[in-house]
Amino acid sequence: MKKLVVRSLRCVAALALVVAQVGFGHAQPAAAAPGDLVADVIVPEGWPRNVSPSVAFDGHFLYYTEYAGSILHRINMPPAGATTQASPPVDATIVGAPAGIMSIAYDASRDMFWATGGDGLSIYLLAKTGAATLMFTIDPVNDRPGWQARTFITETKLAYDGTDDTIWYSPDTTRRVYHFHTTGDLLGNAVPVAANPYFDVDVAPNDMGAYCPVGSWASGIATGGSSIFIEVSACNYYFEYSKTGTRLGAIPSAFQTSGGLTCDDHTYPVSVIWMRQGWNGHIYAIEQPRAGACLYGGG
């Protein structure tokens, strides 16, 4: 079902084309309502290299990798308004992650990225030079209680939480968001945060059913303050949750996306969340529900 409904490249590309032609074809000022589209940039890689769930913002540039890729790409911030093509990227070869890198999240305190490996289980610190250092490995049985295998079992997203130096981890389109310390145990295994090791997004009254008929799941996550923001593929809303799993808000979104998220309270007059469209190479800046709701770099 996911393959037909959520991951249809043809449908996603058609939707993006219609929106680009009808709703975002001319230069527009920065948006003024939560969920509005503020900027849109298209990465220069063609199919299939433009397929990716990753995006990160370091206060100056946007970064991304390809799907389990071995190159860290950096592009300039696009202007608010009409869709623009990304400037030629500055690339760094990733070394030290044999399965490639799936998704990244910027850590302002370390000036590095936290990254998930292409195996879905390895967590790295990734330097801007491309050097990847394995920090810990997630045991698929013991460290992910209640995990249910989905179609894209290695496609995992993560968010760095600077408020307590932890990692939020979400396998694609699953209902549970896991919470780990940034330091593994003596054997290099993940250490869940005992106080709140995970929360679920499909349990009433905190589910997404009233807004997303396709279901309640996490396709992208970001945090930079007291809340976690969650994107749901094939749904025109994104959601604000507390870190204990209470749904705090549902924000109408200008686009359906299916990739990673990153927060940006620096670039535009309004705070935005960058949302990666996993299939067509677009990275959208969507207005946050309020100014500074999600600070860049983990907060």
Side-chain angles (χ1 to χ4, degrees), residues 42 44 49 51 77 102 115 118 125-126 137 140 157 165 170 172 221 232 243 247 293:
I42 304 175
R49 293 179 59 203
V51 174
M77 305 305 293
M102 186 66 72
L125 264 178
L126 177 64
T137 302
K157 323 295 172 53
D165 195 34
S170 175
D172 185 55
I221 55 174
V232 183
K243 294 174 183 179
R247 179 168 51 76

Side-chain angles (χ1 to χ4, degrees), residues 137-162:
T137 302
I138 296 168
D139 185 304
V141 176
N142 297 320
D143 296 332
R144 298 193 304 195
W147 181 73
Q148 296 179 346
R150 307 292 289 177
T151 302
F152 297 88
I153 59 174
T154 62
E155 185 180 320
T156 54
K157 323 295 172 53
L158 82 168
Y160 172 70
D161 193 339

Side-chain angles (χ1 to χ4, degrees), residues 23-298:
F24 206 55
H26 302 282
Q28 299 177 3
D36 280 355
L37 184 64
V38 176
D40 174 18
V41 63
I42 304 175
V43 302
E45 293 76 33
W47 173 265
R49 293 179 59 203
N50 62 351
V51 174
S52 170
S54 76
V55 62
F57 172 65
D58 74 341
H60 304 283
F61 302 99
L62 284 177
Y63 295 79
Y64 61 94
T65 66
E66 295 162 30
Y67 198 98
S70 59
I71 299 174
L72 178 65
H73 300 285
R74 189 192 84 188
I75 58 176
N76 293 330
M77 305 305 293
T83 300
T84 58
Q85 299 289 327
S87 59
V90 175
D91 293 342
T93 300
I94 296 172
V95 178
I101 293 296
M102 186 66 72
S103 61
I104 55 178
Y106 182 65
D107 174 349
S109 64
R110 294 176 173 87
D111 191 28
M112 300 178 76
F113 304 95
W114 289 94
T116 57
D119 59 2
L121 300 172
S122 303
I123 304 298
Y124 296 89
L125 264 178
L126 177 64
K128 294 177 181 179
T129 61
T133 302
L134 181 65
M135 301 304 290
F136 58 87
T137 302
I138 296 168
D139 185 304
V141 176
N142 297 320
D143 296 332
R144 298 193 304 195
W147 181 73
Q148 296 179 346
R150 307 292 289 177
T151 302
F152 297 88
I153 59 174
T154 62
E155 185 180 320
T156 54
K157 323 295 172 53
L158 82 168
Y160 172 70
D161 193 339
T163 66
D164 60 359
D165 195 34
T166 59
I167 298 293
W168 296 92
Y169 163 93
S170 175
D172 185 55
T173 68
T174 56
R175 278 72 173 170
R176 180 163 287 182
V177 179
Y178 299 92
H179 194 195
F180 299 112
H181 290 285
T182 54
T183 302
D185 63 19
L186 293 178
L187 298 177
N189 297 318
V191 178
V193 177
N196 53 339
Y198 56 80
F199 67 84
D200 296 322
V201 299
D202 66 336
V203 179
N206 298 306
D207 65 307
M208 306 163 177
Y211 305 92
C212 302
V214 295
S216 300
W217 58 63
S219 296
I221 55 174
T223 188
S226 61
S227 298
I228 292 180
F229 292 88
I230 296 177
E231 174 269 321
V232 183
S233 55
C235 182
N236 281 107
Y237 285 84
Y238 73 95
F239 298 88
E240 181 177 1
Y241 275 80
S242 74
K243 294 174 183 179
T244 55
T246 299
R247 179 168 51 76
L248 303 175
I251 303 97
S253 174
F255 283 87
Q256 297 178 357
T257 57
S258 57
L261 306 182
T262 191
C263 298
D264 176 0
D265 58 319
H266 276 36
T267 306
Y268 305 107
V270 296
S271 298
V272 301
I273 295 179
W274 289 97
M275 297 183 173
R276 180 70 186 262
Q277 171 41 267
W279 290 99
N280 64 11
H282 285 257
I283 308 176
Y284 304 115
I286 306 296
E287 186 170 345
Q288 294 185 23
R290 58 192 176 278
C294 192
L295 307 179
Y296 93 101

